[in-house]
C-alpha cells in the first residue's frame, strides 16, 4: 500500500505549475495582441469588468466556461479557438487564477497558453488601453 502524499498548499502549487511555462508581462501581452495568432482572454467575473473596465480586443470568457470555449475540438468552442497552435494569454484580476487556467488549457493540448503576470491590474498600471464596460 502506498503512502498518501502530503497536501500541497496553493502557494507551492502555483509555483509548481508556473514552472511549466513562461508567463508574460503586460507590455509583452499588449505587443503580442497587436499581431496575428495571439488571443487575449479575460476571465474576470462581470463585477470586476464593470468596476475596472475592459481590455480592447480581449475575448471575455468567464473562468467556469474557459475550457469549453477554447478547446479546438469542443462542440461549444468560440470561433477564435480554431487551432491548438493559438497563443492564448489568460488574464484574471491579479494573475493568480489565470495561472491555474493556463495549466488547464495545457491539459487540452493548448501548449502555447500562458497568463499575464499581475493580471488586469498590471495591465492598467502599465498605462495600456482600457475601455469602459459596455452596458
Amino acid at each position: 500500500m502506498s503512502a498518501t502524499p502530503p497536501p500541497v498548499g496553493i502557494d507551492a502549487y502555483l509555483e509548481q505549475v508556473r514552472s511549466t511555462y513562461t508567463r508574460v508581462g503586460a507590455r509583452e501581452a499588449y505587443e503580442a495582441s497587436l499581431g496575428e495568432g495571439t488571443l487575449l482572454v479575460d476571465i474576470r467575473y462581470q463585477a470586476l469588468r464593470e468596476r475596472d473596465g475592459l481590455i480592447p480586443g480581449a475575448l471575455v470568457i468567464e473562468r467556469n466556461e474557459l475550457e469549453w470555449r477554447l478547446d479546438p475540438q469542443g462542440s461549444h468552442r468560440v470561433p477564435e479557438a480554431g487551432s491548438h497552435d493559438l497563443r492564448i494569454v489568460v488574464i484574471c484580476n491579479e494573475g493568480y487564477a489565470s495561472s491555474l487556467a493556463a495549466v488547464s488549457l495545457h491539459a487540452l493540448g493548448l501548449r502555447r497558453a500562458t497568463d499575464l503576470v499581475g493580471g488586469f491590474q498590471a495591465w492598467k498600471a502599465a498605462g495600456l488601453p482600457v475601455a469602459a464596460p459596455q452596458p
Side-chain angles (χ1 to χ4, degrees), residues 25-106:
R27 180 67 53 192
E28 183 181 350
Y30 172 71
E31 290 171 3
S33 75
L34 297 176
E36 295 291 318
T38 298
L39 181 64
L40 301 181
V41 179
D42 187 342
I43 64 169
R44 295 174 300 143
Y45 53 88
Q46 184 174 351
L48 289 176
R49 295 191 312 267
E50 288 175 355
R51 182 188 78 189
D52 294 336
L54 303 166
I55 295 174
L59 183 63
V60 174
I61 302 175
E62 290 196 17
R63 177 63 189 98
N64 63 325
E65 297 182 355
L66 188 70
E67 292 82 0
W68 284 267
R69 300 290 184 230
L70 293 181
D71 178 5
Q73 298 175 336
S75 59
H76 293 83
R77 73 180 177 275
V78 294
E80 295 87 348
S83 167
H84 282 94
D85 294 327
L86 182 64
R87 184 174 189 204
I88 298 168
V89 179
V90 183
I91 303 164
C92 67
N93 194 49
E94 295 182 344
Y96 296 99
S98 57
S99 295
L100 300 177
V103 169
S104 180
L105 294 176
H106 289 182

Side-chain angles (χ1 to χ4, degrees), residues 1-5:
M1 188 169 186
S2 64
T4 303

Side-chain angles (χ1 to χ4, degrees), residues 108-123:
L108 295 176
L110 295 159
R111 301 312 259 161
R112 296 185 68 209
T114 186
D115 74 311
L116 177 59
V117 176
F120 178 86
Q121 296 306 319
W123 179 280

